[in-house]
């Protein structure tokens, strides 16, 4: 179901991950539970999801996606096309009971400029379709527009279309999610931790028949963390190791933020955190986010890689709020966020599937980080 709040696939994934933690030999971190529960608000699409010209419904996820802030709605209406040239039409024409179709760029500009009059005019439409040449990228939100909003591939669109039919069911829900946490105790330094983290949630379902598999994002990272549980049960580590599998990442780092907020006293005990998110490619090497903050560590990783010749490049960049390492970074926990570069570019779409993810340098990444942290 795409491991999201929409469709509640994340709860099924959580159950499975708890079993895997046990089976592979990780201990609970606190008490007897492997879970850290939390709640967040999110706009979900669990019912009808249809858009078409009345003759046929188009393919969700391929021809169009729902905007993360779309409202519910069902109807049919004649189309009003809006261009850059006629962006002042809001003064003298009505969009009531119409389907408004316009380039996403125009909509983005109105949003950016806070163009309230034009936006209110647009929201009075029964349905809005934003046309884009870019890849369709699904997102998540807890906000809701006043009307139904789709994004559609410009190339799939015919200007001759006169009518649209649509049916969308959404609801903002309070979703009960859980982070999954396991531990392997160190042989020498028990109260100091190396952390391996990855988010196991993804975008969930879009309606009742489409979902986002999220193979690279981030089943790849989760499976590598699970591999490390196996590794450290047979190679007992000097420092204690924590395995943090976060939920709610795609909704805005919800799980990691809550875990950090509720574990402030533990944070100074973390020696280093490796966050993995999108590690299924590597044809163009890896990126270390926060690499610029830890040049000595980067240098050592490069030396190890020069010997093993596993990865074609080790690249670095500065801090970025783009995955679950970020709440830790804000609390001064030393950390890298590692993702692979190159290869297949499916991202936040229905094509990010296990069948096409080649895991080209998966073993190289695993061995590189394993060797690096074994030297501590
Ligand atoms: Zn991700």
């Amino acid at each position: 179901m795409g491991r999201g709040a929409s469709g509640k696939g994340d709860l099924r994934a959580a159950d499975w991950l708890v079993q895997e933690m046990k089976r592979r030999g990780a201990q609970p971190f606190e008490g007897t539970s492997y879970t850290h529960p939390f709640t967040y608000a999110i706009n979900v699409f669990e019912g009808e999801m249809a858009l078409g010209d009345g003759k046929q419904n188009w393919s969700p996820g391929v021809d169009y996606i729902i905007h993360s802030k779309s409202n519910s709605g069902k109807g049919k209406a004649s189309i009003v096309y809006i261009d850059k040239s006629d962006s002042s039409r809001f003064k003298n024409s009505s969009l009531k009971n119409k389907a408004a179709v316009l380039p996403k760029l125009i909509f983005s500009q109105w949003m950016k400029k806070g163009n309230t009059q034009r936006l209110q005019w647009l929201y009075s439409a029964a349905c809005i379709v934003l046309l884009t040449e870019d890849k369709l990228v699904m997102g998540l939100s807890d906000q809701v527009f006043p009307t139904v909003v789709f994004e559609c591939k410009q190339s799939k669109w015919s200007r001759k279309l006169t009518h649209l039919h649509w049916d969308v069911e959404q609801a903002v829900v309070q979703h009960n999610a859980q982070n999954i946490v396991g531990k392997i105790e160190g042989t020498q330094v028990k109260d100091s931790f190396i952390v391996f983290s990855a988010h196991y949630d993804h975008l969930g379902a879009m309606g009742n028949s489409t979902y986002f598999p999220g193979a690279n994002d981030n089943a790849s990272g989760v499976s590598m963390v699970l591999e490390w549980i196996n590794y450290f049960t047979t190679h007992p580590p000097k420092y204690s190791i924590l395995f943090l599998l976060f939920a709610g990442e795609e909704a805005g780092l919800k799980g990691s933020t809550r875990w950090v907020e509720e574990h402030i006293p533990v944070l100074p005990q973390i020696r280093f955190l490796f966050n993995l998110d999108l590690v299924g490619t590597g044809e163009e090497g890896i990126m270390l986010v926060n690499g610029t903050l830890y040049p000595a560590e980067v240098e050592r990783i490069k030396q190890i890689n020069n010997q093993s010749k596993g990865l074609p490049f080790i690249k670095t960049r500065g801090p970025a709020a783009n995955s679950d390492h970020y709440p830790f970074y804000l609390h001064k926990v030393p950390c890298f966020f590692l993702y692979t570069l190159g290869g297949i570019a499916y991202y936040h779409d229905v094509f990010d599937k296990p069948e096409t993810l080649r895991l080209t340098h998966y073993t190289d990444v695993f061995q590189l980080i394993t060797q690096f942290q074994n030297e501590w």
Side-chain angles (χ1 to χ4, degrees):
M1 292 300 289
R3 304 188 306 276
S6 194
K8 299 186 184 60
D10 63 336
L11 303 183
R12 290 167 66 178
D15 287 346
W16 184 81
L17 287 167
V18 166
Q19 295 312 315
E20 284 301 301
M21 285 241 178
K22 281 187 201 162
R23 190 176 71 79
R24 292 166 189 251
Q27 307 298 313
F29 174 54
E30 294 154 305
T32 55
S33 175
Y34 290 87
T35 61
H36 170 252
F38 65 99
T39 302
Y40 62 98
I42 187 85
N43 192 25
V44 296
F45 303 90
E46 295 183 318
E48 293 301 322
M49 179 61 59
L51 175 65
D53 57 8
K55 288 188 208 84
Q56 60 169 331
N57 281 333
W58 301 333
S59 180
V62 180
D63 298 330
Y64 71 90
I65 55 166
I66 193 71
H67 194 289
S68 60
K69 299 180 185 178
S70 176
N71 212 310
S72 294
K74 177 181 177 165
K76 51 185 175 189
S78 57
I79 296 173
V80 175
Y81 290 95
I82 301 163
D83 272 339
K84 227 182 193 141
S85 55
D86 48 26
S87 70
S88 60
R89 247 163 60 197
F90 70 96
K91 287 175 186 147
N92 47 34
S93 76
S94 170
L95 291 176
K96 281 243 158 61
N97 304 318
K98 304 279 187 201
V101 177
L102 70 160
K104 186 181 170 187
L105 204 64
I106 293 182
F107 180 68
S108 304
Q109 281 168 355
W110 291 356
M111 293 285 275
K112 208 168 139 194
K113 288 183 195 156
N115 222 322
T116 323
Q117 266 188 310
R118 282 182 174 85
L119 286 168
Q120 273 172 5
W121 171 67
L122 190 62
Y123 293 148
S124 72
C127 172
I128 299 169
V129 176
L130 307 172
L131 299 180
T132 177
E133 297 285 4
D134 300 339
K135 199 178 106 49
L136 298 174
V137 175
M138 184 65 185
L140 297 174
S141 180
D142 58 358
Q143 308 290 306
V144 183
F145 290 138
T147 189
V148 178
V149 184
F150 294 98
E151 286 184 27
C152 206
K153 286 290 260 192
Q154 179 97 50
S155 54
K156 293 264 176 191
W157 195 264
S158 154
R159 263 262 175 181
K160 289 175 212 125
L161 269 184
T162 55
H163 284 77
L164 277 184
H165 292 232
W166 67 92
D167 193 355
V168 174
E169 286 180 51
Q170 63 64 239
V172 174
V173 298
Q174 292 292 327
H175 182 63
N176 297 316
Q178 53 207 309
N179 298 318
I180 315 293
V181 190
K183 182 182 86 171
I184 289 179
E185 202 161 73
T187 52
Q188 292 174 40
V189 195
K190 295 186 194 310
D191 59 356
S192 191
F193 301 102
I194 307 290
V195 182
F196 294 101
S197 72
H199 76 87
Y200 72 89
D201 67 297
H202 194 49
L203 300 160
M206 187 177 88
N208 49 27
S209 63
T210 304
Y211 71 96
F212 297 89
N216 198 16
D217 189 7
N218 181 30
S220 64
V222 171
S223 69
M224 199 174 286
V225 172
L226 295 178
E227 291 289 349
W228 268 310
I229 299 178
N230 291 32
Y231 176 84
F232 288 113
T233 51
T234 51
H235 302 77
K238 186 159 64 168
Y239 298 95
S240 291
I241 313 267
L242 281 189
F243 307 96
L244 295 182
L245 300 176
F246 294 115
E249 193 270 352
E250 303 288 7
L253 314 181
K254 303 286 187 196
S256 51
T257 301
R258 281 296 290 278
W259 197 90
V260 163
E261 282 168 4
E262 293 178 13
H263 293 85
I264 300 291
V266 176
L267 303 180
Q269 291 170 262
I270 299 177
R271 243 184 103 85
F272 211 90
L273 176 144
F274 297 91
N275 181 57
L276 306 167
D277 190 356
L278 302 155
V279 295
T281 68
E283 283 83 339
E284 289 168 37
I286 59 168
M287 178 64 79
L288 295 170
V289 176
N290 282 353
T292 55
L293 304 179
Y294 303 100
E297 283 76 4
V298 170
E299 201 40 51
R300 185 57 198 140
I301 287 175
K302 284 184 175 170
Q303 281 172 4
I304 297 170
N305 188 57
N306 282 342
Q307 283 160 7
S308 69
K309 307 228 172 349
L311 292 156
F313 304 103
I314 311 272
K315 295 179 183 173
T316 60
R317 57 187 276 194
N322 50 1
S323 190
D324 289 316
H325 64 290
Y326 192 68
F328 291 88
Y329 157 78
L330 289 179
H331 283 83
K332 304 201 162 38
V333 174
C335 54
F336 283 147
F337 160 30
L338 186 159
Y339 60 90
T340 52
L341 301 164
I344 214 149
Y346 298 138
Y347 175 75
H348 282 212
D349 57 33
V350 295
F351 309 107
D352 180 12
K353 297 179 194 175
E355 302 91 286
T356 47
L357 192 65
R358 294 184 56 204
L359 301 173
T360 328
H361 287 280
Y362 184 84
T363 313
D364 299 320
V365 173
F366 179 83
Q367 286 171 347
L368 178 63
I369 299 305
T370 303
Q371 189 180 339
F372 172 68
Q373 82 80 40
N374 275 347
E375 293 177 358
W376 287 354

